[in-house]
Amino acid sequence: MSKRIAWLAAVIVLLALPLYLEAQWLKAGQYMMIGAVGAIGLTLLTGQAGQLSLAHGFFLLVGATSYTVLSGPGDKLAGLGLDPLLAVIGAVVITALTGMAFAPVAGRLRGIYLGVASLALVFLGLFLGQEWETLTGGTSTGRSPAAFSLFGFSFSNEGELVIAGVPIRGAERLWYLFLALLAIAYLLARGAVRTRVGRSWRAVRDNEAAATAMGVDVARTKAAVFAVSSAYAGLAGVMTVLWFDILKPDESEFGTYGVNTSIAFLAMVIIGGLGSVTGAVVGALVVFGLPQVLTLYSTDLGWFTGSITPVLVSSFVYGAAIVLVVLFEPGGLAAVGRRLKEIRR
């Protein structure tokens, strides 16, 4: 009962925050939700199924590009002009199929070899994003995505909506949209982990030969979990392009969809605890949240001068956190939480 009350209180607080926070803080929270959705997908792949992937940045780009093309008008650039909800679903499906296409490689490689092979996809995405300007708009100008709308209600600044005397504009509306997407992603992941699907993932992770003896189709299971993880990354990509309000491919391998982003997602699941869905959400708050908070407080703190930036400081912080987790608590923050519960009992 106490756990349900805590969850209910958390939901009430999250629903009420847009009525009290300024738009810049809401944007920071939205970015953390993007990280949480992507991290959930990666913890299913790496923590539950034992498949190392550094391609999350690539799948983010696939999801972002798919949504922009599916929902955008087909005038100067490629676009199908679909309803935004259908475009989101289509982007998730396309990204899942892209991940499944990589499954034959994932089925033959393990460990660091799979990680290096998946990293090649990031460089492939960098090349395609720069070359396919009819889809992405190119690195110089990019292209704007269609504003998301649901049953005629726009999640932008269009129209007037007032709740408790507070105007609900684009930032507040996107907060509620991202919160709903995160809730759906979280519940689906928790449900999958507790079912036979999750047990087959863990069987493949622990021992492929034993899993085969128990009747688990290892190749199919790996393909399925890669597709699921890619779908989560695709949804995070859709949220990313809505958050930036522009699709702009990276000019180098370090960018919104680059190597650094893939590493950041891996840091989230390690800090939060490999295989823990809740831990992935907490890890996203640390890795994606800290740069946002430090940026908002940078003027007041007066810490950041010259080459010392909030992003650089954040990288050192979560890098140190990974080292501490590996050395002292391999189970991450999720294991710390379980220990605290045992102490309370």
Side-chain angles (χ1 to χ4, degrees):
M1 182 62 69
S2 60
K3 187 176 180 180
R4 292 180 180 178
I5 293 174
W7 274 108
L8 179 61
V11 170
I12 293 174
V13 169
L14 290 172
L15 291 176
L17 281 179
L19 304 179
Y20 300 96
L21 293 182
E22 298 179 356
Q24 56 186 357
W25 285 102
L26 293 178
K27 293 285 287 184
Q30 292 162 13
Y31 197 60
M32 298 179 206
M33 294 184 204
I34 294 173
V37 170
I40 290 173
L42 187 59
T43 204
L44 295 179
L45 177 66
T46 303
Q48 290 287 323
Q51 306 298 301
L52 178 62
S53 173
L54 291 173
H56 239 47
F58 168 75
F59 293 116
L60 251 70
L61 178 61
V62 173
T65 305
S66 299
Y67 172 79
T68 306
V69 173
L70 291 175
S71 63
D75 41 17
K76 296 181 180 179
L77 300 174
L80 299 180
L82 298 179
D83 180 82
L85 179 59
L86 294 178
V88 171
I89 298 173
V92 172
V93 172
I94 290 172
T95 314
L97 293 176
T98 306
M100 190 173 292
F102 186 73
V105 177
R108 289 173 171 80
L109 299 175
R110 278 201 261 173
I112 189 63
Y113 301 104
L114 176 58
V116 172
S118 63
L119 184 61
L121 291 177
V122 175
F123 294 94
L124 177 63
L126 174 66
F127 172 77
L128 295 178
Q130 294 175 352
E131 293 296 321
W132 287 1
E133 294 187 2
T134 56
L135 300 180
T136 64
T139 56
S140 57
T141 60
R143 63 181 297 186
S144 298
F148 186 81
S149 62
L150 187 62
F151 305 118
F153 178 78
S154 176
F155 287 80
S156 63
N157 290 325
E158 296 180 3
E160 295 184 3
L161 178 63
V162 178
I163 298 178
V166 178
I168 305 300
R169 309 291 288 172
E172 291 81 6
R173 297 178 189 183
L174 272 185
W175 172 276
Y176 289 122
L177 173 63
F178 284 13
L179 187 61
L181 293 176
L182 174 57
I184 294 172
Y186 179 84
L187 294 174
L188 289 176
R190 287 293 298 269
V193 167
R194 295 174 178 177
T195 61
R196 181 167 37 174
V197 174
R199 291 193 292 272
S200 67
W201 292 344
R202 292 187 291 275
V204 171
R205 175 197 64 190
D206 296 337
N207 191 307
E208 292 186 9
T212 302
M214 290 187 294
V216 177
D217 189 327
V218 174
R220 182 178 298 178
T221 300
K222 285 185 176 182
V225 71
F226 229 102
V228 170
S229 177
S230 303
Y232 272 85
L235 179 58
V238 174
M239 297 166 69
T240 300
V241 78
L242 291 175
W243 190 80
F244 280 111
D245 197 26
I246 188 172
L247 170 65
K248 194 172 183 182
D250 298 328
E251 297 181 0
S252 69
E253 64 271 21
F254 300 100
T256 306
Y257 311 103
V259 176
N260 55 317
T261 300
S262 297
I263 295 175
F265 277 109
L266 187 60
M268 293 177 198
V269 301
I270 293 176
I271 294 172
L274 284 173
S276 171
V277 177
T278 305
V281 176
V282 178
L285 299 183
V286 175
V287 176
F288 268 15
L290 189 59
Q292 297 292 319
V293 173
L294 290 180
T295 300
L296 291 174
Y297 275 124
S298 59
T299 304
D300 297 332
L301 293 174
W303 293 351
F304 310 106
T305 58
S307 59
I308 301 177
T309 64
V311 175
L312 179 63
V313 173
S314 302
S315 300
F316 281 116
V317 170
Y318 74 71
I322 292 174
V323 173
L324 292 174
V325 165
V326 171
L327 290 178
F328 300 105
E329 187 50 87
L333 295 177
V336 174
R338 288 191 292 267
R339 288 189 180 184
L340 293 175
K341 286 183 179 180
E342 293 176 1
I343 292 174
R344 289 179 59 186
R345 291 174 182 176

